[in-house]
Amino acid sequence: MAFSSFSAFLAMGGHAPYVWAAWGVTALLMIASVGHARMERRLLIRDLKRRARRETTRPLPSTSTAPNSLQASHTDDT
Amino acid sequence: MWTFIHKWGSPKWFYSMSGKLQPWFWTVSLLLIAVGTLWGLAFAPADYQQGNSFRIIYVHVPAAFLAQSIFVSMAAAALVFMVWKIKIADMAATVMAPLGAVMTFVALFSGAVWGVPTWGTWWMWDARLTSMLILLFLFLGVIALRSAFTSRDSGSRAASVLAMVGVINIPIIKYSVDWWFTLHQPATFRVTSSPSMPTEMWLPLLIMVLGFYCFFIALTLMRTRSEILRREANKRWVMDLMKEAH
């Protein structure tokens, strides 16, 4: 341990504003990046599920929505 | 080898494999960053010249390393996309750019904050600082260019070209401290020699760097998976997947 007490740790030998600003912004942005990725995935899946449900409950006259999806089932496009 | 590339280039295969790999990278990244943070902030000895402000190194250096590596990865993905038309590569390049911009910002911000007690200034038009600022603009440029086209394919190609051309900035960042030695000190770590720092100072730094890299891999896998679902929304396998899940 490089500090004698918790308050000494917080004070960072007088460099507290610099150390905590740099670490704080880094932590904040990394946590926000993860939060954004989770939100993105959740919203997307909610949308796609709604779409899939619409398809199963109400089979549309296959001309209007997603005509290519039925044919493209096994095309392996790389 | 070709079947390997072919498999990983298939969105469906990539989606399922990356789903299995992802938790491992999150776990390892969290562990490394937790250990590195505790060690770097509380246990590593204070620097004899800079005191405790040197603890900024544990976020500054990993972020700066990662920012440059993300740009190189993005340019490599762009090259793969342009040469072999592998869509996964373009999706990966798409999701890498914002994190690259974030990491570049973190490196610049933590450097500026560190500069105040150490150099007496938060900014100077020093070669290293300027080339990092250019890196930030390159990331933002790639993001903007991609969204500037109505056709996704045109946007992808334009962003790929900028990424491949912009990679020239990376060696400039690396050698800037040797070519124009103005403010920023030369690299503390070199592959060829042992570090000029005591072990209890550089080991937590190494742990943080590895943790940041794992974080990048985990986040890229996660966001590439979302990008796959978005772009393949009309494909049969995505629809089936969405029907299965409740």
Side-chain angles (χ1 to χ4, degrees), chain B residues 46-69:
Chain B
D47 185 76
Y48 76 100
Q49 273 184 328
Q50 299 185 19
N52 287 303
S53 71
F54 111 98
R55 293 180 200 283
I56 293 173
I57 202 174
Y58 299 112
V59 290
H60 178 72
V61 167
F65 274 12
L66 189 55
Q68 295 172 70
S69 301

Side-chain angles (χ1 to χ4, degrees), chain A residues 2 40 51 69-70 77-78, chain B residues 42 85 87 223 226 234 236:
Chain A
E40 173 189 46
R51 213 156 133 179
S69 69
L70 298 171
D77 36 356
T78 47
Chain B
K85 302 283 167 240
K87 285 185 202 158
R223 293 205 59 218
S226 299
N234 288 326
R236 178 50 52 200

Side-chain angles (χ1 to χ4, degrees), chain A residues 1-3 9 12-13 15 18-19 23 25-26 34 40-41 44 49 51 56 69-70 76-78, chain B residues 6 10 15 37 41-44 50 52 55 85 87 106 109 113 223 226 230 234-236 243 246:
Chain A
M1 195 66 158
F3 299 96
F9 170 69
M12 281 285 156
H15 288 305
Y18 311 112
V19 173
W23 277 79
V25 166
T26 309
V34 177
E40 173 189 46
R41 183 169 167 80
L44 190 68
K49 271 187 188 163
R51 213 156 133 179
T56 38
S69 69
L70 298 171
D76 193 6
D77 36 356
T78 47
Chain B
H6 191 70
S10 142
Y15 189 85
T37 298
L41 271 181
F43 289 91
Q50 299 185 19
N52 287 303
R55 293 180 200 283
K85 302 283 167 240
K87 285 185 202 158
V106 165
F109 180 83
V113 167
R223 293 205 59 218
S226 299
R230 188 178 295 131
N234 288 326
K235 294 282 164 67
R236 178 50 52 200
K243 278 173 201 161
H246 292 289

Side-chain angles (χ1 to χ4, degrees), chain B:
Chain B
M1 184 64 191
W2 280 109
T3 48
F4 175 81
I5 292 171
H6 191 70
K7 264 186 182 169
W8 280 93
S10 142
K12 189 181 173 184
W13 171 268
F14 187 96
Y15 189 85
S16 78
M17 288 315 282
S18 57
K20 285 173 200 158
L21 284 173
Q22 202 194 325
W24 293 101
F25 282 105
W26 282 122
T27 310
V28 173
S29 152
L30 195 69
L31 274 172
L32 289 174
I33 292 177
V35 171
T37 298
L38 201 67
W39 196 345
L41 271 181
F43 289 91
D47 185 76
Y48 76 100
Q49 273 184 328
Q50 299 185 19
N52 287 303
S53 71
F54 111 98
R55 293 180 200 283
I56 293 173
I57 202 174
Y58 299 112
V59 290
H60 178 72
V61 167
F65 274 12
L66 189 55
Q68 295 172 70
S69 301
I70 294 177
F71 203 92
V72 174
S73 315
M74 188 177 74
L79 185 75
V80 168
F81 169 67
M82 292 298 267
V83 174
W84 291 287
K85 302 283 167 240
I86 295 174
K87 285 185 202 158
I88 285 286
D90 185 50
M91 299 185 204
T94 309
V95 303
M96 281 178 198
L99 185 65
V102 164
M103 282 299 151
T104 313
F105 177 80
V106 165
L108 283 167
F109 180 83
S110 58
V113 167
W114 195 3
V116 176
T118 316
W119 295 331
T121 179
W122 64 276
W123 185 263
M124 233 178 97
W125 293 101
D126 161 82
R128 170 60 69 86
L129 277 61
T130 309
S131 52
M132 276 305 273
L133 188 65
I134 291 171
L135 186 72
L136 179 63
F137 292 147
L138 280 170
F139 273 122
L140 297 177
V142 167
I143 296 167
L145 201 56
R146 187 180 287 283
S147 55
F149 291 82
T150 38
S151 125
R152 172 149 59 208
D153 207 44
S154 312
S156 294
R157 267 178 287 151
S160 299
V161 170
L162 182 57
M164 287 187 296
V165 173
V167 91
I168 191 75
N169 189 41
I170 298 298
I172 296 179
I173 295 174
K174 179 163 168 32
Y175 294 109
S176 58
V177 283
D178 304 322
W179 291 342
W180 308 278
F181 181 47
T182 47
L183 181 66
H184 197 287
Q185 74 274 37
T188 315
F189 298 98
R190 287 178 195 279
V191 186
T192 47
S193 60
S194 57
S196 54
M197 247 186 189
T199 314
E200 62 270 32
M201 275 183 174
W202 67 256
L203 200 57
L205 184 56
L206 181 69
I207 292 172
M208 281 302 260
V209 169
L210 294 175
F212 271 53
Y213 275 93
C214 288
F215 176 85
F216 160 58
I217 296 171
L219 194 75
T220 303
L221 289 178
M222 181 177 184
R223 293 205 59 218
T224 304
R225 281 160 62 81
S226 299
E227 191 67 17
I228 291 172
L229 292 182
R230 188 178 295 131
R231 293 201 199 180
E232 304 262 295
N234 288 326
K235 294 282 164 67
R236 178 50 52 200
W237 74 269
V238 173
M239 290 191 174
D240 289 344
L241 195 71
M242 289 302 126
K243 278 173 201 161
E244 281 165 28
H246 292 289

